[in-house]
Amino acid sequence: MQPRSALLVSLALLAVLSSCATAPLAPVGPQPSAVEVTPAAGANVAYAAVEPAAFADFDPSSACTSELWVLVNVYETLTRYAPLGSKDALQPGLSTSWTVSDDGMTWTFNLRKGVKFHDGADFNASAVKRSIERTKHRGQCAAFLLEPISEIQMPDPFTVVFKLAYPAPLDSILASAYSAWIMSPYAAEQDASWFAAGNAAGTGPYQFARYEPGQRLVVQRFDEYWRGWQPDQFDMVVFEMVDDLVAVEQMLRAGQLDYANEVVLSPEQMASLDGVSGLRLDVAPSVTNYVIFLNHRRSPTDDVRVRQALAYSFPYEAVVEHTRLGKGTLAHGAVPSGVWGYDPAPSRYIEDLDRAASLLAQAGYGDGLEIACSYDPPDQVMAELWQANLAKIGVTLRLEPADILIRWDAAKNAPRQAPEAFLFAWSADVVDPYSYLFNMFHSEDQPLWNLGFYSNPAFDALVDQARRLSATDQAAASALYIDAQRMLADSATALFPLEVPELNIIADDIQGFVTNPAYSHLVIWYDVRREQ
């Protein structure tokens, strides 16, 4: 079984489940998370905007969309990705330390003692084993990340040993915001309806307090949280579900919200809010890359000269300037610069229309040609900038905007009829080159996210070998991943226009907010304060 991207299930959940009504909080079994939600006098409360359709699934084994904005404050993982610039890439979470065998096949995690779940149960090795096995067995969202795990042993209550079927960087995998959450033993025995009713039982700083479907979800601090509490931390966080972008903007201007991101605001709205009294625009690097797949299974993009011509035709600098508020950066290649193993060399391709025209003539298209580009409607500006450049060298770019679910399904099911160019953004489930290179470019019998339909056994071998080495020799793995990225550049397999910035609007009096690109738009409310 090959790993599959979390984005697939994320999209499927958005399409299939976002319209499903969920029941209000009801007494289903023990209700450890049902607490009094009326703020005490002087309570410190934060307000964040979320999209109503995002709360499709509160089950930590299968949650794959924006409900993670909430769950990251309720559940925790064994390890955590550190913010960019930190000394170490990973930090302890519910484990205090870990080791790996020389062959990368055995991982031993020492667990934190004195930790309580919201339902009063003790955190221990049994809870870890039960949570991981539950998620792996259910096989939803990014459960494929747990595929290397063949056995979980518990030599004592605070030690967990993972035996793997093949070497894998388990410390990174267990830091993912997808499918790595640890839940209480009671919660692990519940089905999806228990979670959908607004129940939860993690070890995080906040516990579910009230869920009003379509309106708001409230979390309140868990007094027994293992890291303790300071007087200036938030006692409660209210996630307001607002499906009107204008309403979100108005609430921010009125001081009724402390936080909103680019999922619930347009870049133009963010620009207009930057500098408004009481608000600020936060811009940070992300680990998301724009990718334009070029179709290897149909003419004319099955010709490397045509693909190279298209790569030289792209207006890279103009796209950086005129999209994402001008806050993005030029991409290096398939792997963003915030991820280890990226290619530090500048991109092979720059805008060079003369060279593009020459390559087209060599390929027999000196008189021009017509191709199509599929993209999400918000990426219209990028598509139009490329269209204008191509027109200068006699190429007609037919623009085909459509929802990602519609165009993705059509493309993967009919590669030879799929557009010559397919634009979208890729964000990693695990911050590792493998997420980008395997999911988007490894050979597939049945296409999933390799939407350029690239197939190269030599490339596959490099990526597979690097994956096996990544647990024990990251430097050697990195060199192989860089070779693989340069192989993609040699054949102009895809275009990489832009490394995407993360954009957030946040209240001026919120202090300690640090964007962690590994957890895109996931605010850890325990870590921030309101300036008094």
Side-chain angles (χ1 to χ4, degrees):
M1 176 181 175
Q2 292 183 335
R4 292 298 187 225
S5 168
L7 184 56
L8 166 64
V9 183
S10 172
L11 292 169
L13 284 172
L14 280 172
V16 178
L17 298 178
S18 63
S19 63
C20 295
T22 52
L25 193 65
V28 182
Q31 289 286 135
S33 56
V35 299
E36 177 58 45
V37 297
T38 302
N44 200 355
V45 183
Y47 295 85
V50 295
E51 50 178 348
F55 289 168
D57 187 358
F58 287 124
D59 187 330
S61 289
S62 52
C64 224
T65 61
S66 298
E67 62 268 353
L68 295 174
W69 301 352
V70 176
L71 298 190
V72 73
N73 292 283
V74 175
Y75 296 94
E76 294 178 302
T77 50
L78 292 186
T79 57
R80 281 189 52 77
Y81 289 110
L84 287 180
S86 301
K87 178 182 177 182
D88 299 312
L90 292 167
Q91 298 174 336
L94 289 174
S95 66
T96 57
S97 61
W98 56 94
T99 58
V100 60
S101 61
D102 290 342
D103 62 2
M105 298 284 282
T106 301
W107 289 80
T108 301
F109 289 81
N110 301 306
L111 304 183
R112 196 173 297 279
K113 298 178 181 178
V115 176
K116 291 281 189 182
F117 286 101
H118 300 157
D119 59 5
D122 292 325
F123 166 75
N124 53 31
S126 178
V128 173
K129 177 179 170 67
R130 188 171 299 187
S131 296
I132 297 298
E133 289 182 343
R134 177 187 192 270
T135 299
K136 183 179 179 183
H137 174 73
R138 296 200 168 205
Q140 300 178 47
C141 188
F144 67 85
L145 296 173
L146 306 176
E147 186 183 67
I149 299 171
S150 61
E151 183 183 1
I152 303 176
Q153 300 175 351
M154 301 179 293
D156 64 61
F158 293 99
T159 305
V160 179
V161 178
F162 294 89
K163 298 289 187 178
L164 306 189
Y166 52 87
L170 195 62
D171 52 351
S172 293
I173 290 170
L174 295 181
S176 176
Y178 301 93
S179 301
W181 306 112
I182 306 301
M183 67 201 82
S184 82
Y186 177 81
E189 295 299 318
Q190 306 310 306
D191 61 17
S193 63
W194 187 81
F195 294 97
N199 296 294
T203 60
Y206 295 94
Q207 56 186 333
F208 276 23
R210 185 173 75 242
Y211 179 35
E212 302 172 22
Q215 298 183 57
R216 66 187 52 83
L217 187 144
V218 181
V219 296
Q220 183 164 297
R221 83 177 199 176
F222 175 48
D223 288 335
E224 295 184 68
Y225 182 51
W226 59 271
R227 291 169 66 188
W229 290 92
Q230 298 298 319
D232 60 347
Q233 290 177 280
F234 286 106
D235 301 298
M236 184 178 291
V237 183
V238 179
F239 296 92
E240 296 283 4
M241 304 178 191
V242 188
D243 58 2
D244 184 339
L245 272 64
V246 175
V248 174
E249 180 178 347
Q250 291 172 339
M251 292 171 72
L252 284 162
R253 291 179 182 274
Q256 297 171 339
L257 289 173
D258 295 302
Y259 172 83
N261 61 39
E262 57 200 299
V263 178
V264 292
L265 286 173
S266 70
E268 293 74 23
Q269 286 178 298
M270 288 191 157
S272 72
L273 290 166
D274 187 20
V276 168
S277 177
L279 299 172
R280 72 177 188 272
L281 173 66
D282 181 87
V283 181
S286 77
V287 290
T288 299
N289 245 8
Y290 269 114
V291 179
I292 303 178
F293 292 107
L294 299 178
N295 193 333
H296 286 59
R297 293 200 192 174
R298 65 174 298 177
S299 177
T301 44
D302 58 351
D303 187 323
V304 65
R305 295 167 297 182
V306 172
R307 296 195 303 271
Q308 289 173 336
L310 294 175
Y312 283 116
S313 75
F314 197 83
Y316 299 95
E317 298 283 356
V319 165
V320 170
E321 180 180 356
H322 295 291
T323 65
R324 315 296 291 192
L325 302 184
K327 305 295 186 181
T329 57
L330 289 173
H332 285 251
V335 180
S337 55
V339 179
W340 70 270
Y342 84 99
D343 186 354
S347 174
R348 181 84 55 86
Y349 299 97
I350 60 173
E351 182 180 349
D352 187 337
L353 294 182
D354 289 339
R355 192 166 183 180
S358 175
L359 283 163
L360 287 176
Q362 293 174 34
Y365 297 100
D367 294 331
L369 56 84
E370 180 176 339
I371 62 173
C373 178
S374 163
Y375 59 94
D376 289 334
D379 295 322
Q380 182 80 17
V381 171
M382 187 184 303
E384 288 179 346
L385 287 169
W386 192 24
Q387 182 187 50
N389 250 25
L390 284 171
K392 297 174 184 176
I393 56 173
V395 177
T396 298
L397 183 65
R398 189 170 68 254
L399 302 184
E400 297 183 350
D403 177 81
I404 180 64
L405 280 175
I406 296 171
R407 60 197 188 90
W408 164 74
D409 191 61
K412 71 183 182 67
N413 288 320
R416 297 187 187 282
Q417 285 76 51
E420 290 87 352
F422 189 103
L423 166 64
F424 85 134
W426 181 271
S427 187
D429 35 43
V430 172
V431 184
D432 184 304
Y434 189 75
S435 176
Y436 303 84
L437 299 177
F438 180 90
N439 284 298
M440 293 193 288
F441 300 106
H442 199 283
S443 301
E444 293 180 313
D445 294 331
Q446 177 63 44
L448 186 64
W449 287 110
N450 180 351
L451 294 173
F453 316 107
Y454 176 67
S455 182
N456 183 339
F459 172 87
D460 297 345
L462 277 177
V463 172
D464 293 341
Q465 184 182 358
R467 174 65 162 177
R468 291 190 294 271
L469 284 171
S470 61
T472 56
D473 191 343
Q474 193 175 95
S478 181
L480 292 174
Y481 281 134
I482 289 172
D483 287 344
Q485 290 166 74
R486 293 178 179 176
M487 191 176 290
L488 295 178
D490 289 342
S491 65
T493 301
L495 279 60
F496 305 103
L498 182 72
E499 291 188 7
V500 182
E502 184 164 318
L503 306 176
N504 302 284
I505 291 289
I506 193 161
D508 269 341
D509 60 356
I510 300 294
Q511 303 299 313
F513 176 81
V514 178
T515 296
N516 186 333
Y519 304 109
S520 180
H521 299 308
L522 304 185
V523 181
I524 312 298
W525 288 98
Y526 179 89
D527 294 337
V528 299
R529 308 285 193 274
R530 190 185 300 282
E531 188 178 58
Q532 302 298 318

